[in-house]
Amino acid sequence: MKNILKEVLEESKKYTEEGNVASYIPELKKANRDDVGICIIDRYNNIYTEGNYSTKFTIQSISKVIVLAMALMDNDWSYVFSKVGMEPSGDPFNSIMKLETNDTKRPNNPMINAGAIVTTSLIKGDSAEEKEARMLNFFRKLAKNDSLQINYDVYKSEKLTGDRNRAMAYLLKNDGFITGDVEEVLDLYFKQCSIEVDTVDLARIGINLASYGVDIETGERLIRKDISRMVKTFMVTCGMYDASGEFAIRTGIPAKSGVGGGIVASVPNTMGIGVYGPALDKKGNSVAGIKILEDLSNRLELNIF
Amino acid sequence: MKNILKEVLEESKKYTEEGNVASYIPELKKANRDDVGICIIDRYNNIYTEGNYSTKFTIQSISKVIVLAMALMDNDWSYVFSKVGMEPSGDPFNSIMKLETNDTKRPNNPMINAGAIVTTSLIKGDSAEEKEARMLNFFRKLAKNDSLQINYDVYKSEKLTGDRNRAMAYLLKNDGFITGDVEEVLDLYFKQCSIEVDTVDLARIGINLASYGVDIETGERLIRKDISRMVKTFMVTCGMYDASGEFAIRTGIPAKSGVGGGIVASVPNTMGIGVYGPALDKKGNSVAGIKILEDLSNRLELNIF
Amino acid sequence: MKNILKEVLEESKKYTEEGNVASYIPELKKANRDDVGICIIDRYNNIYTEGNYSTKFTIQSISKVIVLAMALMDNDWSYVFSKVGMEPSGDPFNSIMKLETNDTKRPNNPMINAGAIVTTSLIKGDSAEEKEARMLNFFRKLAKNDSLQINYDVYKSEKLTGDRNRAMAYLLKNDGFITGDVEEVLDLYFKQCSIEVDTVDLARIGINLASYGVDIETGERLIRKDISRMVKTFMVTCGMYDASGEFAIRTGIPAKSGVGGGIVASVPNTMGIGVYGPALDKKGNSVAGIKILEDLSNRLELNIF
Amino acid sequence: MKNILKEVLEESKKYTEEGNVASYIPELKKANRDDVGICIIDRYNNIYTEGNYSTKFTIQSISKVIVLAMALMDNDWSYVFSKVGMEPSGDPFNSIMKLETNDTKRPNNPMINAGAIVTTSLIKGDSAEEKEARMLNFFRKLAKNDSLQINYDVYKSEKLTGDRNRAMAYLLKNDGFITGDVEEVLDLYFKQCSIEVDTVDLARIGINLASYGVDIETGERLIRKDISRMVKTFMVTCGMYDASGEFAIRTGIPAKSGVGGGIVASVPNTMGIGVYGPALDKKGNSVAGIKILEDLSNRLELNIF
């Protein structure tokens, strides 16, 4: 396995030049375009790492997966899905248009920004502080890493430049899909995007989803089985922005990417994978990350279809 | 298993009243709204049937799956996917809009009408007759049923009322996604939709896809492994019209429906399922069929995620 | 003329039942659905009134016309039209979609909400207070009525329920079409919509535009000639929401409506007309007001085409 | 006047380099990019010409104005406008999208291709030949030129490459906005676009509309007054493709352009203007033609607003 990882990582490095580091906020621009890292945790808790596996980056849209799980734990299914849909959108992740043209005006799914703003608003707590604490705690539990922290520089930048998300949130408020204070919801949304992780954290999250929500070491149930499945389903249908379909065709692995350069992948009953490569393609997915997951899928027969 | 099928079918019958038989052409209106049938073929070639399992109906959009496989066998991947995309569309199956608003103007995927018109145009043959013969032959082979025939009454009706598909086809021609004679392409498209099958045929198609393209009786390879996977992936991301996301969440089974009332489902490495129930919901999917697949997924743990 | 007004008004009253008073804020609901009023001021300064001509109502979207004139007086043409377009949109007045699908992402024109938020942001002033004072002063001058005031109950309600406009404004900020503090721009926008007028005020505004910006009593130039023409052109192409085309066909008169029930009409070189009738059709235009302007156009040959 | 025309034409010639001759069919490419011609006919039947005023070109979209008048003469208003709308679309002339997203699915107006296909289908006649003869005759009458002919090379090219219009027509058929044989309707549509005219013909059409449908020489009524007004209204709101709003702002003159390089302008009660300049801007309007009409509007105070 170690050799495979080395080869796969080496091969993927050839592609980093084709991508660009996210630049919409200064903090993300600081990432090193050529970095590539990977961590695999299998169902027997074997951990394999390679390259810049321990480099820290912000989780960004990968948080949508975890917040969805939390919204589904905190609320009835039917309530959650009255506020956000289950369908791929066919549009870019930050599209506003569908909020107007959809019959229901609901966000299409929880993997686009508008949908994730909704799931964020569904996290329970008596105060903003409690919601943030519960959220961060859940991320730490899933990643088995109590040192996970919000990167406050990134958070502040996101907040400052987040007018497009702000526009969506006010539209969602107007149409009754979120309630309460818009800026408070956005604050929690920007915070969750700004949590710092490395590939080991992502691989751990991946294996916890792959094992249907049970911690493979302790046997503790972290997430209900049905919710762990739902989350992986959304990863396949909408996890890679508007390249989700192609990624599913090429790899057949449930995965979710973020513009920080990370991708979490979760092969049911088999393994969790965390990859990092901040050079992004035009859709916002890690160039090297996609290459690595394609190669691994082929070599290790990870395709679930 | 027999008991499970009985119960599941009985339960599903309660829902047929909520749906309506397709009515856009007179032939489809003749179906009996309360009919429900099911056939399962597992990887050991055990065959289980129940209800109206042998009632004949036209395959309609389920043909898109088979024609996609054929287009991928007849052409290079890269060529096929230069003419039709891999992404869910988030729009109804007969939407034209995306052909204009997409950057590429390509149909989003081969499971919507526009995309299936493209894949149909990619079937090889020296003449219209040869293309039709090759197509019908491939359907027969996948269904292991040499008596499959086109229902010419349905075909003629489809052709007569097919102006919306005709509009799409001319737009696709205009934008260079299909070549040759538009009416000839449409003719083959309407014919493939009009092939008559029963649930046993569908279950057989399903198990052939589930076994990665190998005939489980004879060991003959009917479809390349990678193509069988691709096809199942499209079934998950776009198989159930604009309810594909919800269906994937609820069942986790690759499936494709048609307005004739059929659904083919293919559980990788496990089983093929054919269901029939002509009462359709608003999205065009069999009401009873969806209910049956949900129940089976839960009882038999068929969810792949 | 007096008799014509009587007849026209009487006739129009039959149609008020077909409409409904705006209800998105409580204050507007208080209007009396059957009220109809009219005032005409011709180029010789003859003033004719009938019905509820002196009933007060909020000016609402009619303010867009005046704020456009002001933006064009405060800034270069080219600058204004780099921030807002000149084309009819074919979409409802509060549509957000075009801000995403337009090549330029600019609001289509200054008569839809998004465009008016832009022109509002272009009003000059060293402080929010100064901008408000300049704005109110300009309204008073054009209406020749120093007692015009903001209705603060309406303003507060607009502000409280204005999340859709807020969404637009943040999107405009994000895309660089407005600068500065979004809430400050919106505050001025909500205020201008809440100015209280009667039909005499509107008729005066109408004649001032009809006389190419010159006060017909004093000869004072209030607006540049070219700006007065531009404003009337926008009234024809986009003045009556997404019923502008039909209204132009039926009357041939430049006009602008508001959901408060008012319509200002300006027949070049001929007359200004103010009408009031709070019962609105589905597009948001005064039912009786449209009827009156159609009748007057026919009887007095006011059609400019 | 002669001097003004000379100067205006000379000035406009500077801009021809900014445009390009239409190239979607070979015949149009043959036009000389630097040609500019103009003809004015005033209400006293004075005729002024300059430059390439007698060069022949195909009328193209300008025909939409005449066919609209004919449809309104052959049918009830209410019937015509149940099949085609009265609103500007905010979209390119050959857009299909709105046929799907509009509530009514009707073409927005008769000046876009889809709308003109509808008005074409409303021309009365017992046979295709009679319809064509009636149509050509009406064009000749309005242009006072019995030698007007269809350019059959252009017609054949249009027909051959007209798949986008064909797509629209089938969609219109599908949705019930046109009836009868689609290819027959399209044939008449392609023929009307291919009628050859010069600027004198256009100026004559313009003055006939400007005089409210009465031949200024003979006093013969060619078009009903109300129809002549309606037609001019559509010219203002939708006559210059998706640059109609800007053109109205800049000139205030009802006008209709065609990709053959012609523009017909009709100043109510004042004059008809024909201009020719085959170099087109990106929206499909004659670069020199727009410049000329802007200059003339300013110099002769032709702005109707």
Side-chain angles (χ1 to χ4, degrees):
Chain A
M1 181 70 105
K2 190 70 182 164
N3 278 348
I4 290 178
L5 288 199
K6 258 199 185 124
E7 283 172 34
V8 160
L9 189 138
E10 216 49 54
E11 179 65 20
S12 77
K13 272 187 166 286
K14 297 180 194 162
Y15 296 86
T16 55
E17 278 185 19
E18 293 174 11
N20 286 299
V21 166
S23 59
Y24 69 96
I25 54 171
E27 280 69 20
L28 294 179
K29 265 193 274 191
K30 295 177 192 160
N32 183 353
R33 175 168 143 178
D34 296 325
D35 278 1
V36 183
I38 179 163
C39 175
I40 290 179
I41 304 180
D42 70 16
R43 61 192 294 203
Y44 310 106
N45 207 25
N46 297 309
I47 304 181
Y48 309 92
T49 56
E50 193 60 48
N52 308 98
Y53 72 91
S54 63
T55 301
K56 291 279 177 194
F57 52 92
T58 50
I59 193 164
Q60 299 292 344
S61 288
I62 302 173
S63 64
K64 291 177 168 70
V65 161
I66 302 165
V67 169
L68 167 62
M70 204 169 168
L72 288 166
M73 291 163 79
D74 277 5
N75 303 270
D76 276 350
W77 272 40
S78 58
Y79 185 71
V80 172
F81 292 120
S82 70
K83 301 294 186 190
V84 59
M86 307 187 198
E87 299 304 321
S89 74
D91 291 312
F93 68 97
N94 60 359
S95 174
I96 290 183
M97 196 178 80
K98 279 283 171 67
L99 299 181
E100 191 159 299
T101 57
N102 276 350
D103 282 355
T104 58
K105 299 190 175 181
R106 265 188 328 195
N108 273 67
N109 63 66
M111 297 296 115
I112 57 175
N113 287 14
I117 292 170
V118 168
T119 49
T120 301
S121 77
L122 296 173
I123 293 178
K124 292 271 168 75
D126 286 338
S127 64
E129 290 71 30
E130 191 187 328
K131 289 174 188 177
E132 181 182 336
R134 288 190 67 234
M135 185 267 289
L136 188 56
N137 190 47
F138 187 61
F139 275 68
R140 286 173 174 173
K141 213 164 157 187
L142 268 192
K144 268 201 147 179
N145 181 349
D146 283 347
S147 67
L148 288 193
Q149 291 291 355
I150 292 162
N151 178 325
Y152 276 89
D153 289 336
V154 172
Y155 155 70
K156 278 176 212 155
S157 273
E158 299 274 4
K159 191 161 181 158
L160 210 66
T161 60
D163 284 330
R164 190 173 179 88
N165 287 318
R166 207 161 267 120
M168 281 182 210
Y170 277 108
L171 197 54
L172 291 167
K173 175 90 182 285
N174 186 68
D175 294 338
F177 296 114
I178 63 174
T179 51
D181 185 68
V182 165
E183 284 298 336
E184 190 187 308
V185 172
L186 284 171
D187 194 68
L188 190 55
Y189 175 77
F190 293 133
K191 276 176 179 154
Q192 85 200 22
C193 293
S194 306
I195 292 174
E196 271 193 338
V197 292
D198 61 19
T199 64
V200 184
D201 298 320
L202 293 183
R204 180 62 66 188
I205 293 168
I207 187 63
N208 278 331
L209 291 170
S211 63
Y212 307 108
V214 174
D215 184 317
I216 50 169
E217 278 186 302
T218 65
E220 187 193 357
R221 177 158 293 286
L222 306 169
I223 303 180
R224 246 170 39 217
K225 186 173 192 178
D226 58 346
I227 291 179
S228 81
R229 277 182 158 149
M230 257 190 281
V231 161
K232 279 173 285 182
T233 311
F234 277 117
M235 289 163 82
V236 163
T237 57
C238 347
M240 303 295 280
Y241 305 120
D242 43 334
S244 300
E246 179 165 356
F247 182 81
I249 293 293
R250 288 181 179 276
T251 68
I253 301 177
K256 180 78 200 81
S257 61
V259 292
I263 303 178
V264 65
S266 177
V267 188
N269 213 25
T270 308
M271 65 173 62
I273 310 173
V275 276
Y276 171 62
L280 308 179
D281 62 22
K282 280 180 187 166
K283 307 275 186 173
N285 294 313
S286 169
V287 174
I290 284 186
K291 193 75 194 90
I292 287 172
L293 290 167
E294 267 187 63
D295 281 1
L296 286 178
S297 175
N298 289 331
R299 288 174 180 240
L300 307 176
E301 284 257 4
L302 301 177
N303 192 314
I304 65 170
F305 296 106
Chain B
M1 180 70 105
K2 190 70 184 166
N3 278 347
I4 290 178
L5 288 199
K6 259 200 185 121
E7 284 173 32
V8 160
L9 189 139
E10 216 48 56
E11 180 64 21
S12 78
K13 273 187 165 286
K14 296 179 192 159
Y15 296 86
T16 55
E17 279 185 19
E18 293 174 11
N20 286 298
V21 166
S23 60
Y24 69 97
I25 55 171
E27 280 69 22
L28 294 179
K29 265 194 274 190
K30 295 177 192 160
N32 184 352
R33 177 167 142 178
D34 295 325
D35 278 1
V36 183
I38 179 164
C39 175
I40 289 179
I41 304 181
D42 70 17
R43 60 191 294 200
Y44 310 107
N45 207 25
N46 297 309
I47 304 181
Y48 308 92
T49 56
E50 193 61 49
N52 308 97
Y53 70 91
S54 63
T55 301
K56 290 279 176 196
F57 52 92
T58 49
I59 194 164
Q60 298 293 344
S61 288
I62 301 172
S63 65
K64 291 177 168 72
V65 161
I66 302 165
V67 169
L68 168 62
M70 205 170 167
L72 288 167
M73 290 163 78
D74 277 5
N75 303 270
D76 275 352
W77 273 39
S78 58
Y79 186 71
V80 173
F81 293 120
S82 71
K83 300 295 186 190
V84 59
M86 307 187 197
E87 299 304 321
S89 74
D91 290 312
F93 67 98
N94 60 0
S95 175
I96 290 184
M97 195 178 80
K98 279 283 171 67
L99 298 181
E100 192 159 299
T101 57
N102 276 350
D103 282 354
T104 58
K105 300 190 176 182
R106 267 186 328 194
N108 274 68
N109 64 65
M111 297 295 115
I112 57 175
N113 287 13
I117 291 170
V118 168
T119 49
T120 301
S121 78
L122 295 174
I123 292 178
K124 291 271 167 75
D126 286 338
S127 65
E129 290 69 31
E130 191 187 328
K131 288 175 189 176
E132 182 182 336
R134 288 190 66 234
M135 185 266 290
L136 188 56
N137 190 47
F138 187 61
F139 274 69
R140 286 173 174 173
K141 213 164 158 187
L142 268 192
K144 268 200 147 181
N145 181 350
D146 283 346
S147 67
L148 287 194
Q149 292 291 355
I150 292 161
N151 179 325
Y152 276 89
D153 288 337
V154 171
Y155 155 70
K156 278 177 214 155
S157 275
E158 299 275 4
K159 191 160 180 160
L160 210 66
T161 60
D163 284 331
R164 191 174 179 87
N165 287 318
R166 205 161 268 121
M168 280 182 210
Y170 277 109
L171 197 54
L172 291 168
K173 174 90 181 287
N174 186 68
D175 294 338
F177 296 115
I178 63 175
T179 50
D181 185 68
V182 166
E183 284 297 336
E184 190 187 306
V185 172
L186 285 171
D187 194 67
L188 190 55
Y189 176 76
F190 292 134
K191 275 177 180 153
Q192 85 201 21
C193 292
S194 305
I195 293 174
E196 270 192 340
V197 292
D198 61 19
T199 63
V200 183
D201 298 319
L202 293 183
R204 180 61 65 187
I205 294 167
I207 186 63
N208 278 332
L209 291 171
S211 64
Y212 307 108
V214 174
D215 183 318
I216 50 169
E217 278 186 302
T218 65
E220 187 194 358
R221 176 158 293 287
L222 306 170
I223 303 180
R224 245 170 40 217
K225 186 172 192 178
D226 59 346
I227 292 179
S228 82
R229 275 182 159 150
M230 257 191 280
V231 161
K232 279 173 283 182
T233 311
F234 277 117
M235 288 164 82
V236 163
T237 57
C238 346
M240 303 296 279
Y241 304 120
D242 43 332
S244 300
E246 179 165 357
F247 182 82
I249 293 292
R250 289 181 179 277
T251 68
I253 301 176
K256 180 77 200 80
S257 60
V259 293
I263 302 178
V264 65
S266 177
V267 189
N269 213 21
T270 308
M271 65 173 62
I273 310 173
V275 277
Y276 171 62
L280 307 178
D281 62 22
K282 281 180 186 163
K283 307 275 186 174
N285 294 313
S286 168
V287 174
I290 284 185
K291 193 77 194 88
I292 287 172
L293 290 167
E294 268 187 64
D295 280 2
L296 286 178
S297 175
N298 288 331
R299 286 174 181 240
L300 307 176
E301 284 258 4
L302 301 177
N303 192 314
I304 65 170
F305 296 107
Chain C
M1 181 69 104
K2 190 70 182 166
N3 279 347
I4 290 178
L5 288 199
K6 257 199 186 121
E7 285 172 32
V8 160
L9 188 138
E10 216 48 55
E11 180 64 18
S12 78
K13 275 188 165 286
K14 296 177 194 162
Y15 295 85
T16 56
E17 279 184 19
E18 294 174 10
N20 286 298
V21 166
S23 60
Y24 69 97
I25 55 171
E27 281 68 20
L28 294 179
K29 266 194 272 191
K30 294 177 192 161
N32 182 352
R33 175 167 142 177
D34 296 325
D35 278 2
V36 183
I38 179 164
C39 174
I40 289 179
I41 304 179
D42 71 16
R43 61 192 293 203
Y44 310 106
N45 208 25
N46 295 310
I47 304 182
Y48 308 91
T49 55
E50 194 60 48
N52 308 97
Y53 70 92
S54 63
T55 301
K56 290 280 177 196
F57 52 92
T58 49
I59 194 164
Q60 298 293 345
S61 288
I62 301 173
S63 64
K64 291 178 168 69
V65 161
I66 301 166
V67 169
L68 167 63
M70 205 169 168
L72 288 166
M73 291 163 78
D74 277 6
N75 303 271
D76 276 350
W77 271 42
S78 58
Y79 186 70
V80 173
F81 293 119
S82 71
K83 300 294 187 191
V84 60
M86 307 186 198
E87 300 303 321
S89 74
D91 291 312
F93 68 98
N94 61 359
S95 174
I96 290 184
M97 196 178 78
K98 279 283 170 69
L99 299 182
E100 192 158 298
T101 58
N102 276 349
D103 281 355
T104 58
K105 299 190 174 181
R106 267 187 328 195
N108 274 66
N109 64 67
M111 296 296 114
I112 55 174
N113 287 14
I117 291 170
V118 168
T119 49
T120 302
S121 78
L122 295 173
I123 293 179
K124 292 272 169 74
D126 287 338
S127 65
E129 290 69 31
E130 191 187 328
K131 289 175 188 177
E132 179 181 337
R134 288 191 67 233
M135 185 267 289
L136 188 56
N137 189 47
F138 187 61
F139 274 69
R140 287 173 174 171
K141 213 165 158 186
L142 269 192
K144 269 201 145 178
N145 181 351
D146 283 347
S147 67
L148 287 194
Q149 292 290 355
I150 293 161
N151 178 325
Y152 277 89
D153 289 337
V154 171
Y155 155 71
K156 278 176 213 155
S157 274
E158 299 274 4
K159 191 161 180 159
L160 210 65
T161 60
D163 283 330
R164 192 174 177 86
N165 286 318
R166 205 161 268 120
M168 280 183 212
Y170 277 109
L171 197 53
L172 291 167
K173 174 91 182 287
N174 186 68
D175 293 338
F177 297 113
I178 64 175
T179 50
D181 185 69
V182 165
E183 283 298 336
E184 190 187 307
V185 173
L186 284 171
D187 194 68
L188 190 55
Y189 175 76
F190 293 133
K191 275 176 179 154
Q192 84 201 21
C193 292
S194 305
I195 292 173
E196 269 193 340
V197 293
D198 62 20
T199 65
V200 184
D201 298 320
L202 293 183
R204 180 60 66 187
I205 293 168
I207 187 62
N208 277 331
L209 291 171
S211 64
Y212 307 107
V214 174
D215 184 318
I216 51 171
E217 278 186 302
T218 64
E220 188 193 358
R221 177 158 294 286
L222 306 169
I223 302 180
R224 247 171 37 218
K225 187 174 191 175
D226 59 346
I227 292 178
S228 82
R229 277 184 157 149
M230 256 190 281
V231 161
K232 279 173 285 183
T233 311
F234 277 117
M235 289 163 83
V236 163
T237 56
C238 346
M240 304 295 279
Y241 305 119
D242 44 333
S244 300
E246 179 165 357
F247 183 81
I249 293 291
R250 288 182 180 277
T251 68
I253 300 175
K256 181 77 202 80
S257 60
V259 293
I263 303 178
V264 64
S266 177
V267 189
N269 213 23
T270 308
M271 65 173 62
I273 310 173
V275 277
Y276 172 62
L280 308 178
D281 62 22
K282 280 179 186 165
K283 306 275 186 174
N285 295 313
S286 169
V287 174
I290 283 185
K291 193 76 194 91
I292 287 172
L293 290 168
E294 267 187 63
D295 281 1
L296 286 178
S297 175
N298 288 332
R299 287 175 179 241
L300 306 177
E301 284 256 5
L302 301 177
N303 192 314
I304 65 170
F305 295 106
Chain D
M1 181 69 105
K2 190 69 183 165
N3 279 346
I4 290 179
L5 288 199
K6 258 198 187 123
E7 285 172 33
V8 160
L9 189 138
E10 217 48 55
E11 180 65 18
S12 77
K13 273 186 166 287
K14 297 177 193 162
Y15 296 85
T16 55
E17 279 184 20
E18 293 174 10
N20 286 298
V21 166
S23 59
Y24 69 98
I25 54 171
E27 281 69 20
L28 294 179
K29 265 194 272 190
K30 295 177 191 160
N32 183 352
R33 175 166 144 179
D34 296 326
D35 278 2
V36 183
I38 179 164
C39 174
I40 289 179
I41 304 179
D42 71 17
R43 60 191 294 200
Y44 310 107
N45 207 25
N46 296 310
I47 304 180
Y48 308 92
T49 56
E50 194 60 48
N52 307 97
Y53 70 92
S54 63
T55 301
K56 291 279 177 195
F57 52 91
T58 49
I59 195 165
Q60 298 293 345
S61 288
I62 302 173
S63 65
K64 291 177 167 71
V65 162
I66 301 165
V67 168
L68 167 63
M70 205 170 169
L72 288 166
M73 290 163 78
D74 277 6
N75 302 271
D76 277 351
W77 273 40
S78 58
Y79 185 71
V80 172
F81 292 120
S82 71
K83 301 294 187 191
V84 59
M86 306 186 198
E87 300 304 321
S89 73
D91 290 312
F93 67 99
N94 61 358
S95 174
I96 290 185
M97 195 177 80
K98 279 283 169 68
L99 299 181
E100 191 159 299
T101 57
N102 276 350
D103 282 354
T104 58
K105 300 192 175 180
R106 266 187 328 195
N108 274 69
N109 64 67
M111 297 296 115
I112 55 174
N113 287 14
I117 291 169
V118 168
T119 50
T120 302
S121 78
L122 296 173
I123 292 179
K124 291 270 167 75
D126 287 337
S127 64
E129 290 70 32
E130 191 186 327
K131 289 175 189 175
E132 181 181 336
R134 288 190 67 234
M135 185 266 289
L136 188 57
N137 190 46
F138 187 62
F139 274 69
R140 287 174 174 172
K141 212 165 159 187
L142 268 192
K144 269 201 147 181
N145 181 350
D146 282 347
S147 66
L148 287 194
Q149 292 291 355
I150 292 161
N151 178 325
Y152 277 88
D153 288 338
V154 172
Y155 155 71
K156 276 175 215 158
S157 274
E158 299 274 5
K159 191 160 180 160
L160 211 65
T161 60
D163 283 331
R164 191 174 178 87
N165 287 318
R166 206 160 268 121
M168 281 182 209
Y170 278 108
L171 196 54
L172 292 167
K173 175 90 183 288
N174 186 67
D175 293 339
F177 296 115
I178 63 174
T179 51
D181 185 68
V182 166
E183 283 298 336
E184 190 187 307
V185 172
L186 284 172
D187 194 68
L188 190 55
Y189 175 76
F190 293 134
K191 275 177 180 153
Q192 83 200 21
C193 292
S194 305
I195 292 174
E196 270 193 340
V197 293
D198 62 19
T199 65
V200 184
D201 298 319
L202 293 183
R204 180 61 67 186
I205 293 168
I207 187 63
N208 277 332
L209 291 171
S211 65
Y212 306 108
V214 173
D215 183 317
I216 50 170
E217 277 185 304
T218 65
E220 188 194 357
R221 177 158 293 286
L222 306 170
I223 302 181
R224 246 170 39 216
K225 187 174 191 175
D226 58 346
I227 291 178
S228 82
R229 276 180 159 151
M230 255 189 281
V231 161
K232 278 172 285 181
T233 312
F234 277 117
M235 288 162 82
V236 163
T237 56
C238 345
M240 303 295 279
Y241 305 119
D242 44 331
S244 300
E246 179 164 357
F247 182 81
I249 293 292
R250 288 181 180 276
T251 68
I253 301 176
K256 180 77 200 83
S257 60
V259 292
I263 302 178
V264 64
S266 178
V267 189
N269 213 22
T270 307
M271 65 173 61
I273 310 174
V275 276
Y276 171 62
L280 308 178
D281 62 22
K282 281 180 188 164
K283 306 275 186 174
N285 294 313
S286 168
V287 174
I290 284 185
K291 192 76 195 88
I292 287 172
L293 290 168
E294 268 187 63
D295 280 1
L296 286 178
S297 175
N298 288 331
R299 286 175 181 239
L300 306 176
E301 285 257 3
L302 301 177
N303 191 314
I304 65 171
F305 296 106

